[in-house]
Structures are given as structure tokens and as C-alpha cells.
Amino acid sequence: MAVVKPQDYQSQLASWRSALSSGNPGLIATRARELSEAQSRVDTDFHFTVTDFMWRPVGMLGSDLIDASGTDPRNNVGTARIKAKGDSDLIDHFMGCRSTMVGIIMETAGLRFPFYVKVHRYTYEKGAWTGVLECKSIWSILDYLTIWPSWALPIQTQPFSHAVFMWGLCTAIEAMVSESAMRIQAGFTEFINNALSLNPDMRAWWGTVTQALKRDGLSVNTFRKMLRTPIYVKRTNPFLDASPVAIRTVRMETCAQVIRDVTRAYGVDTSMDLWLPGDPQPDKWAKLSQPTYVFSTKDRSQITGPTKTVKDAVIRTVVDLGGSMGVLSSLIKEVKGFDGVFKAPKLGVDFEPPWAILVAPDGGNDGSVISAEIADHTPEGWQHIIGGRSPKWLNDLMNATFSWMLDSLQIILGFTGVPSDLLSGFLNNAFLAFELVQLYSRRDEMGPYHPAIEQFHATASAPYNVETLFGFINAFFDSRGYTAAQVVFRNGEQLALGRDIYKGGLMSLVYHGRTKMVTDYIENILWRVTPTDREVLVQIGDGRKDEAPLAKIQRLITGAMEAIAVLTLSPQNG
């Protein structure tokens, strides 16, 4: 989703600059007021531009449009369903999606949503033909970028078992996408990959270069454009990246799969915007001149650190660890209304509350809120049991003891023939196989009659170790009472996307007579066009409970151990 300024705003901006140069105070004040009104006004018109495979306009879906709807979720593929009249001149172009890309750009309220046609259905019903387009956003290109263990080497030579990404989460994701895009767009291993794979089509041996020459001709800028087509990654300064620390090993997974996994518990938002000639350059190094997919990341957790550098990412990790384990409670506090997020102002780690606050209307009153569901979930158990297996040393000791007893008995009684391991496994997993912890404060709050008393969590390993300690902390967090919210409101009435709020950003909802508040991320943007409605809707929250904060630390430790194994070329199992 890209933010674009309407043409009337641009013209009024030029008018204001002209008034400013005139030096007339009255004219300057008038033009400034008009400019302010134009900037705050939300354009509710929808414009659908149909393009060819190079994002060159082919036509507009004006009166041919019957209805349309779509979504733009956080860190996932957006979708759209567009229904057009069967006698539209564009139907033949839509049918071309079976062999090439058919692009559709939807623009509204200063926002741009680029899609491509995944399926076109030409349907006859009720005496009329219609064309139904099932579209996906260009973010889906990440579903088709595979992460190789060694991206710069031919596919036949992959000495490292996994690719390793570790740094601030924004930097790690950007490196992941840029490496995969560079491998495709530079094409420097295509010759070896195709020749050794015995591909008989020799054009594919230099496919990327051939396509660049066909598209742009031979010039100084040909290869510069080639390296930026179709993806350009807008990079974060790694030394100023204060997003959460992440360590991830990847082997032949897609970028989209990894992004969905690693961002699920964090406030990092990714976007894939369509840059068109005339748009501002994404950064000073881009120098784009043709349609380009610009990938970027943004940490929207609004947790700030003391140094404003990558050191803050480490400090945040320490604060999260202390908060999730309940230590240093005098320094580390949980953010009110935002479960699983911790701050430590005395250590310089603070939370900046979102200034965009949505007030839910009282019953019977109109407002921008279309629907809201705030679900309060009761606790699920004040006593937890973890385990299932005794320690290996204890099982081995018991097996050895029973074997010694059988051998001794045979010697004393003077007979043979009984195998010494006859009782092997007897009373295994009978002692120290389970560990139990009771949360007395939760038991006291729940009362004696609450049915949710006890939970058992089976594990494949023995308890009474550090792993079990982590398991208990996660179990306590997952079984706590919590509030989850899901709110949908109209864009532009109180708050406007691209001006006041952003996809993936934090918002707070005040409800219940303005006595309660819940904070969550903007998870989805929904839009629809019907004969009677033209709306852009914004969804806060996904209605699910948050992940236990200690689980993030566990993933970090597991990722570090896997990374060490990969970088030291340790033997792989299987």
C-alpha cells in the first residue's frame, strides 16, 4: 500500500507556493487554509486502472465495474475480487492472464493498492455475461522467492546447510529479501545453474541479461535497471536498527513463509509498494526510472531505547526476558492494555503510547466504528503439570539395578538361562517424571469453584531443568485471563490511513463508557465498492491472544544454537 497525493492537493500546493512568493499576507493566509483543508480531506472516490505486464495503463474500469472488494493484511498477501460487465472492452485483456501478467491498480483516499489477476472467470448467469477477477497483491512475489542456503553460489554447490540471518529484525528481513532478489535479478549463476541441470534451451543460460537487453536496449543504465527490476529493497541502517533481535536459519523456504513466522509476535510491518514514474524516490540511492516493487520494513512497536542504535535491540531483549520471568519488577513493568510488552523507563526503555485513539460510541450513538468485539477470556488453570518422562540417568540406573539383581539371584540359587535384561523398562518413567507448580495468587483470584483447576503439558524430555522452567512460564502466560479486541471502523471520519494511522501501526480503543482501553496493531485494511457503498475499513487486532513473551527468547536461543551449528559446518542429521 502506497500513499499518493491527489492532483487537487498538488495544484493547491503549487498555488500556495506562488502566494508565498508574492508576499501578500492575505493571499498567503487564504491559500494556506485551502491547502490545509485539501490535505485533511479524504478522497472517497475509487479508481481502477488496468495495466499490461509492464504496468503501462491499458484502460480504466469506470462504468464497466459492477462491484469490488479487497483486503490488505499486515505481513501477508492482499486479495481483491472485482466483477466487471461481460461486454467490457477489457474482457479480452483480462483473458490474457493465462499467459502474462494483467495488473490492476486501485486508488482511493490517497492510497494505492496494486494487484495482478490470479484467475479470471468469464461467467454467464441470469441472461448476462460477467467477468470476475480474483486478484492478489504484489506482496505475493515474496511467496515465489526461495531462500537458498548460499545465495551467491550455483544451486549445485551449497556448502552451508542453511542461510543464517541475525541482527535487528528489520535488517534481517531486508537482507533475506535483497539476497533472494539479487540472485534472480543479477542472474550471475544462471549459466551454471541451467547448463549443469542440462536445460536444452540455451536462451535460459543468459535469461536475465537477455531480458534486460530486450527491455531497455544496450546502454549505460541497462544493467543498473536490471538489478532493480522488479524489486528494490529500501534498507534500514543496520547500526541504527533498534527492532527486536532475531536469529533465524532458513533452508529453501520462501521469503513470505519466513516473514509470516518471524513477525507474528513482533510489531514489525513489511510492505511491497508499486513505485511509478513521478513518485518520490524511496531513498537517495534508488534512482528508479521505471515501475518497481519497493520492499520496506518498519518497526511499529513504539518501544524506544536509550541509545537509538542497534544496542537498543539487545537492551529490549534483556527487558523482555526480565519481564516475562517476573524479575526486577521494580524496574520492569508491563505496558497497560498491551499484554506481553514490557518497559523499563529507568533503564531507558520506554513505550510511546499511540496518539491515534479511537473512542467507541455508546449504545445508540453513531460513530465511525462499524463493529467491535472485545472478548474477555477467563483463566485456564491455577495449577500446571509438565513432564511425562523420567531422567535418562534414573531409568538407566533402575535398569542396571534390576539386571544386577537378576544376575545375583541366579548365582545365589544356582540356575541360569534368565536374561539379565528381563526387567529392562520396569518402573521406567515412574519417578521424577512430572513437575508441578501452583500459582497461589491466581488460585486466590479465581476462587474455589472455578472449574479450570489444573492443566497437564506433555513433553518428550524429562522435567527439572531450565527448559521446564521456560515451559512453566509460557504455560502461566498462555493460561492467564486476557482481553482480545477486533474493531472495524470507517476510514476518514475520525482518522485517515496514510495521514494519521498506518497499516501495522498501533492504535488504542477506548470503550465501556471510556473506562477501559485496549491497544493492538492495525491488522487489515478492507475496502469495498458496490452500487450503494464506497468504503475503506480498518481492522484493529485479530481477536487472538498474544504469544507468551518468553517464547520469543526461546526462539532466539534456539536460533543461536542452530546458527552456530550451520556456521561450524556441523554434521546434519538424516
Side-chain angles (χ1 to χ4, degrees), residues 466-528:
V466 175
E467 182 181 356
T468 306
L469 174 62
F470 282 11
F472 271 121
I473 295 174
N474 289 336
F476 298 156
F477 186 89
D478 291 338
S479 62
R480 81 203 190 288
Y482 68 97
T483 298
Q486 194 166 6
V487 187
V488 177
F489 65 95
R490 290 186 184 88
N491 178 49
E493 291 191 3
Q494 288 187 27
L495 302 166
L497 274 165
R499 186 190 70 198
D500 307 310
I501 55 177
Y502 301 88
K503 183 186 69 174
L506 284 175
M507 274 196 68
S508 293
L509 174 74
V510 178
Y511 64 100
H512 198 246
R514 304 191 180 188
T515 61
K516 299 182 184 299
M517 183 177 72
V518 63
T519 301
D520 211 333
Y521 295 102
I522 296 175
E523 292 286 346
N524 204 351
I525 299 169
L526 308 94
W527 53 270
R528 63 185 179 190

Side-chain angles (χ1 to χ4, degrees), residues 77-362:
V77 181
T79 59
R81 184 183 185 274
I82 302 172
K83 190 174 184 180
K85 295 177 181 178
D87 59 356
S88 170
D89 295 336
L90 294 169
I91 289 294
D92 189 58
H93 182 69
F94 296 149
M95 291 179 174
C97 72
R98 69 187 303 269
S99 60
T100 188
M101 190 198 79
V102 175
I104 295 182
I105 302 174
M106 192 281 283
E107 292 177 299
T108 184
L111 308 173
R112 177 186 293 155
F113 298 86
F115 297 93
Y116 73 96
V117 178
K118 180 73 172 177
V119 180
H120 171 248
R121 303 184 189 279
Y122 195 46
T123 306
Y124 182 81
E125 60 181 357
K126 297 181 181 180
W129 285 95
T130 56
V132 179
L133 310 175
E134 297 175 8
C135 308
K136 285 191 173 185
S137 69
I138 60 174
W139 196 93
S140 68
I141 195 173
L142 300 175
D143 274 314
Y144 300 95
L145 280 182
T146 305
I147 303 169
W148 293 11
S150 302
W151 69 275
L153 296 178
I155 192 66
Q156 292 84 1
T157 305
Q158 298 291 307
F160 293 98
S161 62
H162 293 71
V164 177
F165 301 96
M166 51 184 174
W167 201 262
L169 185 54
C170 289
T171 299
I173 293 175
E174 290 163 4
M176 181 190 313
V177 176
S178 62
E179 288 179 3
S180 301
M182 180 65 73
R183 174 176 56 80
I184 296 293
Q185 293 165 196
F188 49 79
T189 61
E190 279 184 334
F191 177 84
I192 300 176
N193 291 335
N194 284 275
L196 294 185
S197 297
L198 305 180
N199 184 354
D201 188 353
M202 297 183 64
R203 294 174 302 175
W205 295 12
W206 298 275
T208 300
V209 175
T210 303
Q211 283 288 301
L213 294 174
K214 177 182 178 181
R215 184 173 59 245
D216 301 314
L218 181 60
S219 68
V220 177
N221 292 324
T222 297
F223 295 102
R224 182 180 61 83
K225 291 181 178 180
M226 181 182 78
L227 295 177
R228 290 166 170 78
T229 304
I231 297 175
Y232 177 79
V233 178
K234 182 181 177 182
R235 298 302 296 265
T236 300
N237 186 331
F239 299 105
L240 301 179
D241 183 7
S243 60
V245 175
I247 304 178
R248 185 67 149 77
T249 57
V250 186
R251 179 179 175 86
M252 304 307 284
E253 297 178 68
T254 67
C255 291
Q257 288 175 315
V258 178
I259 289 173
R260 292 187 191 104
D261 178 54
V262 299
T263 60
R264 183 170 54 91
Y266 302 100
V268 172
D269 176 53
T270 65
S271 62
M272 186 72 76
D273 299 319
L274 174 62
W275 185 92
L276 295 175
D279 292 346
Q281 294 288 337
D283 57 42
K284 62 181 180 180
W285 296 282
K287 296 181 175 59
L288 304 179
S289 59
Q290 60 188 13
T292 306
Y293 301 159
V294 177
F295 179 82
S296 61
T297 65
K298 182 73 174 178
D299 180 12
R300 300 195 185 276
S301 63
Q302 299 190 198
I303 298 290
T304 60
T307 69
K308 304 298 185 290
T309 66
V310 70
K311 296 177 183 177
D312 291 349
V314 179
I315 298 172
R316 284 178 59 177
T317 302
V318 174
V319 170
D320 285 342
L321 176 61
S324 59
M325 298 185 69
V327 299
L328 299 176
S329 57
S330 60
L331 292 176
I332 303 174
K333 305 290 184 182
E334 189 171 34
V335 175
K336 185 178 180 181
F338 201 10
D339 292 344
V341 177
F342 301 96
K343 62 179 181 178
K346 293 181 180 179
L347 300 178
V349 179
D350 212 344
F351 174 73
E352 295 182 357
W355 74 270
I357 298 177
L358 187 66
V359 179
D362 296 328

